[in-house]
Amino acid sequence: MKHTNADTSEGRRKFLTSLSSLVGTSMVIPIPGISLAENVAQPLSVKEVIDIILKEIPGAPFPKTVDQLITGTPEQEVTGIVTTMFPTVEVIEQTAEAGANMIIAHETPFYNHQDETDWLEQDEAYQHKVALINKHEIAIWRFHDYWHRHQPDGIIMGNLIKLGWEKYYDPSQPRLLTFPEPMPLKSIVALIKERLGISTLRLVGNINQECRTVYLAFGYMDSKMQIGAIQTYQPHLILSGETREWETVERVRDGLQMGQKTSLLVLSHAVSEEAGMEYAATWLQAKVSDTKVMHIASTNPFTFL
């Protein structure tokens, strides 16, 4: 799926034009000091972009990881890069409209953590998605394990920056925040809804509780880790992306009924990590200054009735 020089130049011009038209919307991260009209130098290949990222990750490349090039080819010239949480059909279409041809996604396009597709060959949604990717010659690279292994964890830091909590980050305990003064849980809920754009949260606990320590469990975290965090840190609050309702949820409920002080706030998986992928666009832009990078949010899939 390698582009000809003519195709690549045309795609790059299209990306710059589309990006310029999108400036000012919520999905574009403006990059100060970079002109949208400037000429782009020698284009990077998909492999070169990946290699630039891996240089920043301790221990990379890993012998085993889900972070693979799922579609496209390593040699493919990059006309523009989009970061996102889930490479949905809508995100793929918007990427093509912007003239970009590389998506860096935190989660899988194909409905399972290992990106296995044999069982999906006859699935209509899978077929439609593959046809759309092939039509627009989109390279999709998974950026999950490596972004979490970055120091600091890219998903955690993106959320902390968005919430204005980065000053409380402690690299010796990267998942535990300690505020200098207790913060009302009601205020934390309002801040998360406003800054992360989450309309509805689920709480197991007392909305009037005061919180000084917060354990960060964005995305999905195994219940044994979450319950282990309660045992180790006894945090006032766990911020969870998602958890099985018969596991951490019930442990927190039982603890509260015993008089313990750990509450659980469930944000939903996609929106609990989106800020981390928005941060990835800013982080990466500084390293590939001649290739335009933008973030397109995959958004919350749920409608709350």
Side-chain angles (χ1 to χ4, degrees):
M1 293 195 303
K2 186 174 181 180
H3 291 281
T4 65
N5 289 336
D7 290 340
T8 302
S9 299
E10 177 62 26
R12 197 175 304 113
R13 286 195 296 272
K14 184 180 178 184
F15 181 58
L16 294 177
T17 302
S18 301
L19 182 58
S20 178
S21 68
L22 288 169
V23 169
T25 69
S26 61
M27 70 174 63
V28 177
I29 300 176
I31 310 299
I34 295 179
S35 169
L36 296 176
E38 67 184 356
N39 291 326
V40 178
Q42 180 66 31
L44 294 170
S45 69
V46 167
K47 183 181 184 301
E48 287 172 328
V49 172
I50 295 171
D51 287 345
I52 287 168
I53 293 172
L54 295 189
K55 287 179 182 178
E56 304 293 326
I57 310 300
F62 302 160
K64 184 177 181 181
T65 176
V66 296
D67 293 4
Q68 306 292 335
L69 183 62
I70 300 170
T71 68
T73 66
E75 300 79 18
Q76 184 172 334
E77 292 182 351
V78 176
T79 61
I81 301 169
V82 164
T83 67
T84 193
M85 255 301 290
F86 286 91
T88 65
V89 166
E90 184 177 24
V91 168
I92 293 166
E93 289 173 338
Q94 291 177 354
T95 297
E97 288 171 5
N101 68 343
M102 183 176 184
I103 295 176
I104 297 177
H106 191 61
E107 297 292 3
T108 171
F110 298 134
Y111 324 125
N112 68 104
H113 187 59
Q114 300 299 332
D115 290 303
E116 296 168 344
T117 59
D118 290 349
W119 63 289
L120 289 169
E121 294 295 337
Q122 303 305 314
D123 184 82
E124 292 182 358
Y126 168 79
Q127 293 172 348
H128 175 78
K129 201 170 203 178
V130 168
L132 189 65
I133 292 167
N134 290 338
K135 174 184 176 182
H136 296 295
E137 298 187 330
I138 303 291
I140 299 178
W141 184 62
R142 185 101 177 264
F143 191 31
H144 183 276
D145 298 349
Y146 288 125
W147 198 214
H148 280 303
R149 192 69 65 87
H150 182 267
Q151 295 179 356
D153 181 310
I155 296 296
I156 288 177
M157 187 50 60
N159 275 297
L160 294 184
I161 291 171
K162 199 87 168 178
L163 292 169
W165 289 352
E166 66 272 26
K167 55 185 172 290
Y168 306 126
Y169 177 79
D170 180 357
S172 68
Q173 294 182 317
R175 289 192 175 275
L176 187 69
L177 299 183
T178 301
F179 301 134
E181 298 293 336
M183 183 180 297
L185 180 51
K186 186 180 297 184
S187 299
I188 293 175
V189 168
L191 180 69
I192 289 172
K193 291 175 73 172
E194 175 190 356
R195 297 284 181 86
L196 300 185
I198 304 174
S199 60
T200 304
L201 305 174
R202 292 188 293 168
L203 172 67
V204 182
N206 180 0
I207 190 64
N208 296 313
Q209 177 181 344
E210 296 285 320
C211 300
R212 189 153 187 252
T213 52
V214 178
Y215 186 78
L216 307 175
F218 301 120
Y220 172 78
M221 178 183 287
D222 183 84
S223 61
K224 291 181 179 179
M225 290 183 64
Q226 293 192 17
I227 293 171
I230 298 174
Q231 296 167 348
T232 302
Y233 302 114
Q234 298 180 346
H236 294 122
L237 180 65
I238 296 175
L239 284 185
S240 174
E242 65 172 311
T243 181
R244 296 186 181 99
E245 294 185 17
W246 66 88
E247 296 177 344
T248 305
V249 169
E250 289 305 309
R251 169 59 182 84
V252 168
R253 176 156 67 169
D254 283 346
L256 290 167
Q257 291 174 353
M258 291 168 52
Q260 293 183 350
K261 301 298 183 182
T262 297
S263 293
L264 175 70
L265 197 60
V266 182
L267 283 62
S268 190
H269 192 129
V271 288
S272 78
E273 294 192 293
E274 192 76 69
M277 293 309 293
E278 182 178 355
Y279 171 57
T282 306
W283 175 86
L284 180 58
Q285 183 66 86
K287 305 177 191 311
V288 293
S289 58
D290 291 319
T291 302
K292 303 306 174 186
V293 184
M294 63 187 292
H295 175 73
I296 298 178
S298 54
T299 71
N300 195 333
F302 296 104
T303 299
F304 296 93
L305 306 177

